[in-house]
Amino acid sequence: MAPTTSTLVHLGHKVLLVGTAAASPSDLTQTRDNIIASVGPQGSVSFEQLDRIATITLPGSTYNTIVTGAVAPSAYQHSNAVLAALAGTLLPGGGLSLTEPVSSNPSVNHILERSSADLVSALKISGFVEIVVVQQRKASEQEILQLIQAWGAKIDVASLADQIEFVEISAKKPAYELGAAAALPWARKRVAKPTAPAPAPPKPTVNKKAVWTISANDDDDEDAELEDEDDLLDEADLIKPTAEQLAAPDCGPNSLKKKKCKNCTCGMESEGEPDDVEMELAPALSKGPVPEEAIVSSKANRWKESAITEVVPKALQPKSSCGNCYLGDAFRCGSCPYTGMPAFQPGEKVQLGGGMLKDDIDF
């Protein structure tokens, strides 16, 4: 049995001894008897083969200590599945004594691809804590020969010299089961001294039926406070309007007239029939800008800030209702046929010159 077994095995413990097929039956029996002597009659010792652990289901949280690889020759490495199964069958706080061969140079030795550092990492991943490398030594030529015979390989002993080491490790399972929960310190304080919740204020009771039907019963309810509609009117609202106030105006957009007056200044100058005012100017110009004496200002109407009416001699202007068509859209009526066209000289024919009539893309 491994020298460190006595530090992990105590009186009354339940121990699992893991052996290999390469170990002799006499050595296994001797190791088992030694463990029984350590645990006494209150304890017990169970046995299992290493190659079976990954394929069977071990009882959970049963053993205090597991001893594996202690019987020579310790020829096989413990896979991650085996380590996880061993961790599951240990009691919380239980110990593991493990011995296995490792490679001192895994990049050269392809038979043993795990080093001692890799074994420690595998134990951590499997859930073990307090991992301690108790002993690590080089394998002798006799031990290497026993390993080659156990593997059934045809390898020269000299090729593995200084390439194999035996490592003995002790580890423990945490003092809790997988999935266990524990309250944090500040959480325990809150649980120990719970504060009584403040009583919730009573919710007001609302009669939903009354909310929707109260308006229908207002006239019959003597306690209901209603607004007096007479108080909402002042003295001006009680005066009856006269017939003159109700009649439509004689002039303006709101009047009943369909035509504008002569010299209209109320805003109807762009609607209805054109006026008959013709201004005679001399001399008449056939070309060039409109003379200053041909431009008169009209009074600003009540809806627009300002309006300028251009009066053009009949000889110079095209047929127009207002005489402002040539000045541009700013001076044209809403129904002007020249809307959208540029300004032009009186008497000219509107033409779009340059490339404005040409396509932007040549096909």
Side-chain angles (χ1 to χ4, degrees), residues 5-69:
T5 304
S6 59
T7 61
L8 296 176
V9 178
H10 301 284
L11 187 65
H13 276 189
K14 297 178 68 174
V15 181
L16 174 63
L17 175 62
V18 180
T20 62
S24 63
S26 60
D27 292 341
L28 290 173
T29 303
Q30 182 63 37
T31 303
R32 180 175 178 274
D33 293 341
N34 293 338
I35 296 176
I36 291 175
S38 299
V39 299
Q42 293 84 7
S44 62
V45 179
S46 301
F47 178 79
E48 192 56 68
Q49 289 285 2
L50 177 63
D51 55 354
R52 280 171 40 86
I53 292 179
T55 59
I56 64 174
T57 302
L58 294 174
S61 301
T62 303
Y63 302 101
N64 301 102
T65 306
I66 297 177
V67 179
T68 175

Side-chain angles (χ1 to χ4, degrees), residues 248-298:
D250 296 334
C251 184
N254 296 328
S255 66
L256 300 178
K257 295 178 62 176
K258 300 298 182 181
K259 296 183 180 180
K260 65 179 181 179
C261 306
K262 292 183 178 181
N263 299 325
C264 177
T265 59
C266 68
M268 294 183 64
E269 68 275 6
S270 61
E271 301 179 3
E273 297 295 332
D275 56 3
D276 298 332
V277 178
E278 297 180 359
M279 302 188 65
E280 296 180 358
L281 298 177
L285 300 178
S286 60
K287 292 183 180 180
V290 180
E292 294 182 0
E293 55 268 28
I295 302 176
V296 296
S297 332
S298 64

Side-chain angles (χ1 to χ4, degrees), residues 6-212:
S6 59
T7 61
L8 296 176
V9 178
H10 301 284
L11 187 65
H13 276 189
K14 297 178 68 174
V15 181
L16 174 63
L17 175 62
V18 180
T20 62
S24 63
S26 60
D27 292 341
L28 290 173
T29 303
Q30 182 63 37
T31 303
R32 180 175 178 274
D33 293 341
N34 293 338
I35 296 176
I36 291 175
S38 299
V39 299
Q42 293 84 7
S44 62
V45 179
S46 301
F47 178 79
E48 192 56 68
Q49 289 285 2
L50 177 63
D51 55 354
R52 280 171 40 86
I53 292 179
T55 59
I56 64 174
T57 302
L58 294 174
S61 301
T62 303
Y63 302 101
N64 301 102
T65 306
I66 297 177
V67 179
T68 175
V71 182
S74 178
Y76 304 101
Q77 293 184 327
H78 299 75
S79 64
N80 293 337
V82 171
L83 294 177
L86 296 179
T89 195
L90 273 175
L91 287 168
L96 171 69
S97 175
L98 182 145
T99 303
E100 75 169 41
V102 295
S103 175
S104 59
N105 191 357
S107 61
V108 177
N109 185 358
H110 299 291
I111 299 177
L112 300 174
E113 298 181 353
R114 185 161 67 184
S115 64
S116 60
D118 297 334
L119 176 58
V120 172
S121 298
L123 289 169
K124 291 180 180 178
I125 293 174
S126 299
F128 288 97
V129 296
E130 300 183 25
I131 302 170
V132 178
V133 178
V134 179
Q135 184 180 9
Q136 184 173 353
R137 59 180 179 83
K138 294 286 186 181
S140 63
E141 293 184 1
Q142 182 64 29
E143 290 173 330
I144 294 176
L145 181 60
Q146 291 178 351
L147 294 178
I148 293 175
Q149 292 175 354
W151 296 336
K154 296 180 180 179
I155 305 174
D156 186 10
V157 175
S159 64
L160 296 179
D162 299 330
Q163 298 294 327
I164 298 178
E165 297 177 341
F166 284 100
V167 60
E168 180 183 347
I169 294 179
S170 66
K172 286 186 178 182
K173 181 179 178 178
Y176 52 83
E177 289 289 356
L178 180 64
L184 297 174
W186 55 84
R188 285 197 295 268
K189 292 180 181 179
R190 292 180 181 178
V191 173
K193 297 180 180 179
T195 57
K203 296 182 178 179
T205 57
V206 179
N207 188 348
K208 294 185 178 180
K209 182 178 180 181
V211 171
W212 290 101

Side-chain angles (χ1 to χ4, degrees), residues 299-348:
K299 237 183 231 184
N301 57 50
R302 69 186 69 173
W303 294 278
K304 299 181 181 179
E305 293 183 0
S306 63
I308 299 177
T309 303
E310 299 289 345
V311 181
V312 184
K314 292 183 64 175
L316 300 180
Q317 66 179 2
K319 187 176 181 180
S320 172
S321 300
C322 62
N324 299 333
C325 300
Y326 70 96
L327 295 177
D329 286 345
F331 300 92
R332 291 170 181 162
C333 306
S335 59
C336 183
Y338 294 98
T339 301
M341 296 184 180
F344 55 89
Q345 295 296 331
E348 287 184 346

